[in-house]
Amino acid sequence: MFAALGDETRLALVARLCAAGPLSTARLAEGAAISRQAIAKHLEVLAGAGLVRRGEGGPGRERRWEIEPRRLDEARRALEQISRRWDEALERLRAAVEEEP
Amino acid sequence: MFAALGDETRLALVARLCAAGPLSTARLAEGAAISRQAIAKHLEVLAGAGLVRRGEGGPGRERRWEIEPRRLDEARRALEQISRRWDEALERLRAAVEEEP
DNA sequence: TACACCTGCAACCTGGAGGTTGCACATGGC
DNA sequence: GCCATGTGCAACCTCCAGGTTGCAGGTGTA
């Protein structure tokens, strides 16, 4: 999942989908400097990581993509857990140093 | 920065440094299945992203690496900002839909 | 019907990330 | 002094992520 967010193009896609709401592949490719298929591949990757979902977009020809905000929360929580472990480790080190002499 | 956390090996390194406190390259390479130089390269990348810092480790031969917890907070804040933008976009969409008819 | 879009699939190319090996240098213990 | 250990640098290899091109299939609109 961090790997999915790690690519700048994909991070920009996520940000844009967040700011503008659900958009189709073609619409997302309009502004970008790369081809529509490249965008589509990135969206595949984001979908694989659960960060994005294909909206139905009606039975018609347009299929819009939308953000899955739960995954962003999960990522945030993972970072919180890691930094909490860091604090605990520091505390343990401090205690060990104070006991030793 | 997300790219730095995106690699599994590097994420494991960060988690391990958080759990066990500052460690030297050789110590980190002991358990891993890859060579010491590979670990060193990953640590370079993490340092380039500001997620990790070279401790002095005395003037001696050991140089330990330690976590830079501020960067983890920054990453968390970035995710918060993105998901907040998403909520705002949803709100705007809702308002637009209600006004149209 | 014909035309204009939007989409999906597959083959193909290329640069750089991830990894290894080999060597040289410094430091600490005997 | 000698050896073990921790480190840094550089050349080299391999593979896949990111990107492109080309084509075929659906779906609205005139």
Side-chain angles (χ1 to χ4, degrees):
Chain A
M1 161 195 258
F2 286 123
L5 286 175
D7 185 87
E8 274 198 45
T9 306
R10 286 196 290 266
L11 189 57
L13 283 176
V14 169
R16 195 163 162 204
L17 280 179
C18 278
L23 289 176
S24 71
T25 307
R27 211 50 58 101
L28 283 169
E30 261 178 3
I34 57 180
S35 66
R36 176 181 58 86
Q37 286 80 350
I39 300 277
K41 278 193 188 180
H42 282 301
L43 288 168
E44 265 335 305
V45 175
L46 287 171
L51 287 162
V52 135
R53 200 178 48 188
R54 315 170 95 93
E56 329 278 288
R61 66 190 181 195
E62 265 201 15
R63 307 186 65 181
R64 293 197 235 114
W65 299 83
E66 55 185 15
I67 289 290
E68 196 85 45
R70 294 181 199 171
R71 291 291 279 182
L72 292 176
D73 282 358
E74 283 183 32
R76 228 185 44 212
R77 268 181 238 162
L79 291 180
E80 268 174 22
Q81 199 173 15
I82 285 185
S83 80
R84 193 176 350 169
R85 271 196 225 156
W86 171 248
D87 292 339
E88 290 172 10
L90 268 190
E91 180 61 23
R92 252 179 286 136
L93 273 182
R94 196 189 56 76
V97 167
E98 282 186 359
E99 257 186 40
E100 201 155 326
Chain B
M1 162 195 260
F2 286 123
L5 287 175
D7 185 86
E8 275 197 44
T9 306
R10 286 194 290 265
L11 188 57
L13 283 177
V14 169
R16 195 163 161 204
L17 280 180
C18 279
L23 289 176
S24 71
T25 308
R27 211 48 60 97
L28 283 168
E30 261 176 5
I34 58 181
S35 66
R36 174 181 60 86
Q37 286 80 350
I39 300 277
K41 277 194 189 180
H42 282 300
L43 289 168
E44 263 336 304
V45 174
L46 287 171
L51 287 161
V52 136
R53 200 179 46 188
R54 314 171 95 94
E56 330 277 288
R61 64 188 182 198
E62 265 201 14
R63 307 186 65 182
R64 295 199 233 110
W65 299 83
E66 54 184 17
I67 289 290
E68 196 85 45
R70 294 182 197 170
R71 289 293 280 184
L72 292 176
D73 283 357
E74 283 183 31
R76 229 185 42 213
R77 268 181 237 163
L79 291 180
E80 267 174 24
Q81 199 173 16
I82 284 184
S83 80
R84 193 175 351 170
R85 270 196 227 158
W86 170 248
D87 292 339
E88 289 172 10
L90 269 190
E91 181 61 24
R92 254 178 285 137
L93 273 182
R94 196 189 56 76
V97 165
E98 282 185 359
E99 258 189 40
E100 201 155 325

